[in-house]
Every structure is written in structure tokens, then in C-alpha cells.
């Protein structure tokens, strides 16, 4: 286990893994998740709806010719993650997972052992230049060809003071036309007063992690897609983006958008 692991506080990445039914988490993560779930029973449903959106978005991208994926703030690449979906549709699709949590990266490397087209890298998504110049990232991804940058349930852990809109631009500015941004983000605009009260407890739980949560309005989320061409149906609720089931989750917003311009 890496020496800089702090097991005295829960991890957002490992809590996410627990909500998905994964096993790469610790008792402190499960305890924090239980508090959040008790205060706001929709937390687990939100995480599962988010994973469903990720799956649908990756399938769409593969169907539209994307063969490279950079998953930022990926957490632990457990069942149903990007490499399984992309490589299941297209042998040879390349995936790099990036997370700052050393346990998430360590578990990722073990899960991906023997997969030459996928890896997990420890880096801070808030530093686009360093991520894109990372030797392991560049070994798998060709920045001269279109790729998809995924920020799925990631940016609501980046406070305004750290300019998350500038972070997104830092990646998009380096990508060639025909590349895509896939993004989902927490909001509470659709919550009742009772739900908002419960959500405050969830926020307090995440304050104990290294990744406090920040919810934003739909207009603020829309700014992440500035200069891009949103794929229909545009910026919508998680379960409204090209749904393939009857699941419903009324909060969070998500979208997939293309960087305009001729390819090549």
C-alpha cells in the first residue's frame, strides 16, 4: 500500500466504488457512504445513473469513430467502466484513467494488468499540461488524433477558486477538431426542500474527504461546453441522455460535445 494513504478519512473515489457495488474500498469509506445514503437515499441511484450515462456515452463515441479515451478523475475502473465498454465494441480502443487517489490508481493497475491498451495514471486533473505531457498518457494516446476527454462526476470536486472552466479549456485547447468532451456534474436545482436538507448532510460527509463536493447550476455547467457542438439531446438530466432503460434520476446534468472544425 502506498505510504501516503490516509486511512483516517474516507475517499470519494472509494465511496463511489462502494455505491457501485465494488469491493475496492475500506470500512471508513463504507461508513461514510452509509451516512450519506441514510440522509439522502438517492445518492446510490445518482451514482448508478451516472455510470449508465458513461456507458451510453462511450458507446456513442465508439460508434462515431473515437478510439482514444482520457478518463479524468476516473476513480477505480470497476465493472462497466470505459475500457470494458469501448474495447467490447472495438478491439484496440485505448483508455487512460487518471486519478489523484493512489489507492484508486493502484487498484486500477491491478485490474488492467495484461491489458496493453489501458492503464491507470496517478495525476491531478487540475493540471492539464502535466497530465497531457505525462509519459504514460502519451505512450497510449496520440494527441494529433481525435480523442474523448471524460470528466464524469469529476468537476463537482473542483471548487470555483481553482477555476474548473479554465481546467476544461486547458484540455480542449490541446485537442484536435473532432475530439469530444463527456461531462456530468452534480446539481440540486430539482430538489425539494426536504431533499436539499438531506443533501447538506451528504455535502458534510464529503467535506471529510480530500474532495469536498460543489454543486453548480445548469447555467454554470453549460459554460463547460463553451465553443463546442453539443450532441443531441444537449445538456440534460442523466437519465434523459439517449436513454436505453426506464431509470430516472432528476438531478445532475450531463452532455457530450464535439470540438468543431475539420479533422486532419
Amino acid at each position: 500500500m502506498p505510504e501516503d494513504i490516509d486511512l483516517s478519512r474516507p475517499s470519494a473515489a472509494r465511496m463511489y466504488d462502494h455505491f457501485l457495488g465494488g469491493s475496492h474500498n475500506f470500512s471508513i469509506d463504507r461508513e461514510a457512504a452509509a451516512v450519506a445514503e441514510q440522509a439522502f437515499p438517492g445518492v446510490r441511484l445518482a451514482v448508478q445513473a451516472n455510470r449508465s450515462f458513461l456507458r451510453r456515452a462511450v458507446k456513442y463515441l465508439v460508434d462515431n469513430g473515437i478510439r482514444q479515451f482520457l478518463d479524468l478523475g476516473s476513480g477505480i475502473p470497476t465493472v462497466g467502466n470505459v475500457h470494458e465498454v469501448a474495447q467490447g465494441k472495438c478491439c484496440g480502443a485505448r483508455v487512460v484513467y487518471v486519478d489523484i487517489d493512489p489507492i484508486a490508481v493502484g487498484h486500477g493497475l491491478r485490474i488492467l494488468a495484461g491489458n496493453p491498451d489501458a492503464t491507470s495514471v496517478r495525476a491531478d486533473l487540475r493540471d492539464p499540461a502535466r497530465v497531457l505531457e505525462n509519459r504514460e498518457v502519451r505512450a497510449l494516446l496520440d494527441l494529433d488524433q481525435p480523442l474523448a476527454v471524460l470528466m464524469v462526476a469529476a468537476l463537482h470536486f473542483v471548487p470555483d477558486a481553482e477555476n474548473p472552466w479554465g481546467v476544461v479549456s486547458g484540455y480542449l485547447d490541446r485537442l484536435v477538431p473532432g475530439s469530444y468532451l463527456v461531462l456530468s456534474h452534480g446539481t440540486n436545482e430539482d430538489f425539494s426542500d426536504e431533499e436539499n436538507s438531506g443533501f447538506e448532510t451528504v455535502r458534510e460527509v464529503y467535506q471529510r474527504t480530500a474532495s469536498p463536493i460543489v454543486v453548480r447550476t445548469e447555467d454554470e455547467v453549460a459554460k463547460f461546453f463553451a465553443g463546442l457542438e453539443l450532441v443531441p439531446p444537449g445538456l440534460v438530466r442523466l437519465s434523459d441522455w439517449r436513454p436505453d432503460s426506464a431509470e430516472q434520476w432528476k438531478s445532475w446534468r450531463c452532455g457530450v460535445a464535439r470540438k468543431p472544425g475539420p479533422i486532419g
Side-chain angles (χ1 to χ4, degrees), residues 125-173:
L125 70 84
R126 295 170 296 184
D127 191 343
R130 181 165 293 184
V131 170
L132 293 175
E133 293 303 324
N134 180 280
R135 182 173 55 187
E136 295 166 279
V137 172
R138 297 300 293 269
L140 272 185
L141 304 183
D142 180 358
L143 300 187
D144 293 327
Q145 297 296 321
L147 62 85
V149 169
L150 286 70
M151 294 183 167
V152 177
L155 290 173
H156 50 226
F157 296 118
V158 181
D160 288 357
E162 296 176 356
N163 189 15
W165 297 276
V167 169
V168 173
S169 295
Y171 289 99
L172 297 176
D173 289 348

Side-chain angles (χ1 to χ4, degrees), residues 66-89:
I66 295 297
R67 299 294 183 264
Q68 305 185 102
F69 298 84
L70 179 62
D71 190 352
L72 301 166
S74 60
I76 300 166
T78 49
V79 175
N81 217 311
V82 178
H83 70 283
E84 291 188 338
V85 178
Q87 294 174 356
K89 287 185 68 68

Side-chain angles (χ1 to χ4, degrees), residues 43-258:
V43 171
R44 186 181 299 271
L45 292 176
V47 169
Q48 293 172 351
N50 189 66
R51 177 51 58 91
S52 293
F53 161 67
L54 173 68
R55 171 180 51 79
R56 299 193 303 273
V58 171
K59 286 184 175 181
Y60 170 86
L61 292 170
V62 173
D63 287 343
N64 283 273
I66 295 297
R67 299 294 183 264
Q68 305 185 102
F69 298 84
L70 179 62
D71 190 352
L72 301 166
S74 60
I76 300 166
T78 49
V79 175
N81 217 311
V82 178
H83 70 283
E84 291 188 338
V85 178
Q87 294 174 356
K89 287 185 68 68
C90 177
C91 181
R94 301 186 300 282
V95 180
V96 176
Y97 296 103
V98 175
D99 205 278
I100 199 169
D101 186 314
I103 290 184
V105 174
H107 282 311
L109 288 171
R110 284 192 287 274
I111 291 168
L112 299 170
N115 187 332
D117 295 318
T119 192
S120 185
V121 174
R122 188 181 182 190
D124 189 338
L125 70 84
R126 295 170 296 184
D127 191 343
R130 181 165 293 184
V131 170
L132 293 175
E133 293 303 324
N134 180 280
R135 182 173 55 187
E136 295 166 279
V137 172
R138 297 300 293 269
L140 272 185
L141 304 183
D142 180 358
L143 300 187
D144 293 327
Q145 297 296 321
L147 62 85
V149 169
L150 286 70
M151 294 183 167
V152 177
L155 290 173
H156 50 226
F157 296 118
V158 181
D160 288 357
E162 296 176 356
N163 189 15
W165 297 276
V167 169
V168 173
S169 295
Y171 289 99
L172 297 176
D173 289 348
R174 293 285 305 277
L175 302 186
V176 301
S179 296
Y180 285 82
L181 172 66
V182 179
L183 185 147
S184 67
H185 197 294
T187 72
N188 62 353
E189 290 184 301
D190 300 328
F191 290 167
S192 66
D193 290 343
E194 181 180 359
E195 288 171 325
N196 267 317
S197 178
F199 184 76
E200 284 306 309
T201 299
V202 175
R203 197 196 302 266
E204 291 169 6
V205 168
Y206 278 91
Q207 287 288 344
R208 294 165 47 200
T209 75
S211 308
I213 195 167
V214 181
V215 293
R216 295 188 169 95
T217 66
E218 182 170 320
D219 286 345
E220 289 173 323
V221 176
K223 292 178 182 177
F224 290 118
F225 295 101
L228 303 179
E229 300 171 342
L230 274 164
V231 171
L235 180 61
V236 295
R237 297 178 176 93
L238 284 174
S239 46
D240 291 338
W241 198 89
R242 298 174 178 259
D244 58 8
S245 72
E247 69 176 8
Q248 291 293 319
W249 180 250
K250 64 183 181 180
S251 193
W252 292 36
R253 296 296 184 271
C254 67
V256 176
R258 180 183 181 275

